[in-house]
Amino acid sequence: MNKTFGPYRRLRQRSREIAFVSSASELLSWDLETYMPPKGLDFRAEQLAYLSGQAHRLWTAKTVGAWIAACEQQGFASDSPEAANVREWRRGYDRATKLPAALVEKFERTRALAREAWREARQRSEFGTFRPHLEKLLDLNRQKADCLGFQESPYDALLDGYEPGTRASQLRTLFQELRPAIGAILGAALERSAAVPKDLLQGHYPLAAQQAFNREVAAAIGFDFEAGRVDATTHPFCSTAGPGDCRLTTRYRETDFTYSLYSILHESGHGLYEQGLPAEHFGTPLGSAASLGIHESQSRLWENHIARHPAFWEHWHPIACRHFPELKALAPAQLTAAVNRVTPSFIRTEADQVTYDLHIILRFEIEVEMLEGRLAVADLPAYWNEAFEKMIGLKVTKDAEGCLQDIHWSLGDLGYFPTYTLGNLNAAQLMARAQTECPGLEAGLARGEYNLLLGWLRDKVHRHGLRYPPQELMRLATGEPTSAVHHLLCLRRKFN
Ligand code: ZN
């Protein structure tokens, strides 16, 4: 049997139709965050709700289930691209149809209100305002997990939506290794960083110069500006409106050019992945990213392994000086030291490379405790503050810097955070493998040549889309499933 099989053709057609609808939503959401005038918000929210409902209806139609069943009955060769599409369509269809429409709608309504309540609560640093909303969202997430089904923990059912095939128990094993190892690295890293003045890079960096420099760097690592663009938002993101149209966003601080530069490098990493997905498979699993943990590995790889490596500033320092003449007073090694400064902080999104994963481990543990019913939402702030001090060593004095800092819970997203750490681990593992497989890679990086690395990532990761589940992809690319070994090795090499 081949791809001309009727039900397969219809599924592919339907999958593409849904992609037309969802990519239109992506673009409208991008516009909402960038250029939409404020008074357009109510209509846009309605428009987006309609489109997501439309995509959901198109996918959960009974006939889609019948097409998938027909494909499974006929059977494609197990290692064929078609079999991969059918596998993922089944996964997506089951996840979408196991949830009753009433639950999905209730979830949407609850989180719309929760998001507003969270904003207010954070502004006033007052957990009480957000508490009833989080209680509802937690309960709905438990119901969701029950509908989706799980063997060990309700957490698994939610995690599976972001990182197919990974279980909470596997994360626990990884994190048990990671936590004490990071603790052991931290001491020496802090000592080194104490010698680097906090305000070393403080200066005046005009917006236009930052934009020009960022663009030069993003283009050099391979981001195609004929197939993408950069705009400004409060929270940086990467959004794909379709093949040949990838939108990155960033934010600027005129006193610190690295604030926008490293966020552009991060988002460009996501963008390179999107631009490297096979366009001919757009709208099907073969043309989609493998998972959030794989996506994040691409952004982290460019941001941390390339742009925080001494070779990066050896090459880019003279070019940066053309945009920002005041950098002439600094040596490349000082720039490297400044962008690798380690200091424990309250907010995850501002965390350095060493302490970042501690924030994720903390959240993972708290989410599991809440979902499995051992931690009541009412006790969250006190629990957070105590656990945070134990984990990161800082005393939290206000909820805005504690359990209210992050938007994810207000969106009802539980099970999402671990993908950030998986991204860090995958990035180090992929980078280590690229170094052994590509002779001349290091020498090229020192000259600001990134083709060899990008080519390797295209070949091992990007071009496969969702052909393989994420852990299978990691095995094929690096010879082993995700482990903490390479990440810890990198941290030790850099900070000890
Ligand atoms: Zn990211």
Side-chain angles (χ1 to χ4, degrees):
M1 194 184 53
N2 59 38
K3 58 188 175 191
T4 59
F5 180 59
Y8 183 86
R9 266 193 300 113
R10 284 182 204 106
L11 273 171
R12 203 177 43 194
Q13 179 56 30
R14 178 61 59 98
S15 189
R16 282 176 65 85
E17 257 174 70
I18 292 162
F20 291 142
V21 177
S22 357
S23 57
S25 297
E26 280 275 306
L27 193 55
L28 289 168
S29 301
W30 168 86
D31 176 68
L32 186 154
E33 300 288 340
T34 50
Y35 295 109
M36 190 190 75
K39 287 184 179 171
L41 185 60
D42 288 347
F43 177 73
R44 182 60 50 87
E46 226 178 293
Q47 197 179 15
L48 284 168
Y50 172 80
L51 288 175
S52 81
Q54 197 61 17
H56 185 75
R57 269 189 294 280
L58 278 169
W59 189 239
T60 51
K62 281 220 165 59
T63 164
V64 170
W67 293 333
I68 295 173
C71 285
E72 287 168 338
Q73 225 158 42
Q74 286 285 324
F76 288 98
S78 63
D79 58 347
S80 65
E82 291 77 20
N85 267 342
V86 173
R87 178 196 76 222
E88 290 304 321
W89 282 328
R90 163 60 71 196
R91 228 181 73 77
Y93 182 78
D94 283 354
R95 280 191 73 87
T97 52
K98 278 179 178 171
L99 300 177
L103 179 62
V104 175
E105 277 162 32
K106 198 165 173 197
F107 199 87
E108 286 306 317
R109 273 199 310 275
T110 309
R111 66 189 205 140
L113 297 172
R115 192 171 162 178
E116 279 321 296
W118 166 75
R119 274 187 213 292
E120 224 184 286
R122 191 178 62 156
Q123 211 167 34
R124 298 207 304 251
S125 195
E126 183 195 72
F127 183 69
T129 313
F130 181 52
R131 177 185 151 182
H133 297 272
L134 186 58
E135 278 167 346
K136 277 183 209 152
L137 282 170
L138 179 65
D139 180 51
L140 289 168
N141 262 306
R142 281 210 200 95
Q143 292 181 38
K144 205 170 142 181
D146 285 337
C147 294
L148 292 169
F150 56 85
Q151 282 175 342
E152 294 169 6
S153 165
Y155 199 84
D156 294 340
L158 304 177
L159 176 64
D160 197 67
Y162 309 110
E163 199 62 26
T166 297
R167 298 231 175 131
S169 55
Q170 294 166 301
L171 293 176
R172 200 169 281 123
T173 308
L174 268 181
F175 293 171
Q176 267 161 7
E177 184 187 349
L178 210 48
R179 184 178 171 176
I182 291 174
I185 295 165
L186 188 58
L190 289 173
E191 238 168 76
R192 265 171 175 247
S193 296
V196 185
K198 198 176 159 196
D199 56 356
L200 187 64
L201 297 181
Q202 287 283 307
H204 179 70
Y205 308 98
L207 186 72
Q210 289 192 44
Q211 287 170 329
F213 183 55
N214 292 351
R215 193 180 165 98
E216 208 172 325
V217 175
I221 66 171
F223 187 76
D224 180 1
F225 279 94
E226 292 291 305
R229 53 176 292 130
V230 175
D231 295 87
T233 43
T234 330
H235 302 285
F237 62 85
C238 163
S239 159
T240 292
D245 189 352
C246 177
R247 316 276 173 117
L248 311 180
T249 70
T250 187
R251 69 275 194 265
Y252 301 90
R253 256 184 210 155
E254 289 223 308
T255 52
D256 180 3
F257 75 99
T258 61
Y259 188 63
S260 71
L261 174 66
Y262 280 83
S263 113
I264 274 295
L265 279 156
H266 181 97
E267 299 309 330
S268 295
H270 284 303
L272 289 172
Y273 187 15
E274 292 286 321
Q275 289 184 337
L277 292 169
E280 69 273 24
H281 293 303
F282 175 73
T284 71
L286 290 173
S288 312
S291 73
L292 290 186
I294 299 292
H295 226 308
E296 192 68 5
S297 76
Q298 300 305 292
S299 55
R300 289 294 182 178
L301 189 147
W302 293 98
E303 178 193 356
N304 288 337
H305 294 271
I306 300 305
R308 288 194 160 91
H309 190 281
F312 182 82
W313 284 112
E314 285 293 340
H315 173 76
W316 284 100
H317 179 246
I319 303 162
C321 287
R322 291 208 290 271
H323 296 276
F324 314 120
E326 60 200 284
L327 291 182
K328 283 182 192 153
L330 296 175
Q334 286 177 293
L335 280 158
T336 304
V339 299
N340 281 299
R341 220 173 157 274
V342 174
T343 173
S345 59
F346 290 105
I347 310 291
R348 169 188 66 88
T349 53
E350 293 164 10
D352 57 76
Q353 222 184 326
V354 178
T355 57
Y356 188 95
D357 296 303
L358 298 178
H359 290 260
I360 304 303
I361 296 171
L362 172 77
R363 281 168 183 282
F364 165 74
E365 286 173 358
I366 289 180
E367 287 188 353
V368 172
E369 290 300 292
M370 289 199 297
L371 263 174
E372 294 183 356
R374 287 184 299 274
L375 170 61
V377 170
D379 301 329
L380 176 60
Y383 188 94
W384 173 288
N385 296 352
E386 199 189 323
F388 191 88
E389 194 175 350
K390 243 189 244 162
M391 183 79 82
I392 304 194
L394 295 176
K395 204 169 188 61
V396 182
T397 53
K398 47 184 180 195
D399 291 340
E401 282 185 341
C403 64
L404 284 177
Q405 67 177 263
D406 194 284
I407 194 169
H408 286 73
W409 286 341
S410 78
L411 299 171
D413 290 340
L414 275 86
Y416 185 111
F417 285 109
T419 65
Y420 288 119
T421 285
L422 290 174
N424 285 335
L425 306 187
N426 291 337
Q429 199 166 317
L430 288 165
M431 192 62 204
R433 187 63 171 207
Q435 276 160 334
T436 56
E437 285 190 4
C438 310
L441 187 82
E442 291 283 331
L445 294 177
R447 291 191 300 270
E449 292 164 14
Y450 305 102
N451 283 352
L452 200 55
L453 177 60
L454 181 58
W456 189 86
L457 291 169
R458 291 262 191 262
D459 182 48
K460 300 291 176 179
V461 181
H462 304 178
R463 75 183 168 96
H464 299 297
L466 194 35
R467 171 99 187 246
Y468 309 103
Q471 283 308 305
E472 178 76 20
L473 182 71
M474 285 303 291
R475 245 188 295 267
L476 288 169
T478 69
E480 52 186 341
T482 302
S483 92
V485 172
H486 300 279
H487 180 64
L488 290 171
L489 215 61
C490 285
L491 292 182
R492 281 189 201 110
R493 218 179 285 143
K494 193 189 265 195
F495 296 104
N496 283 170

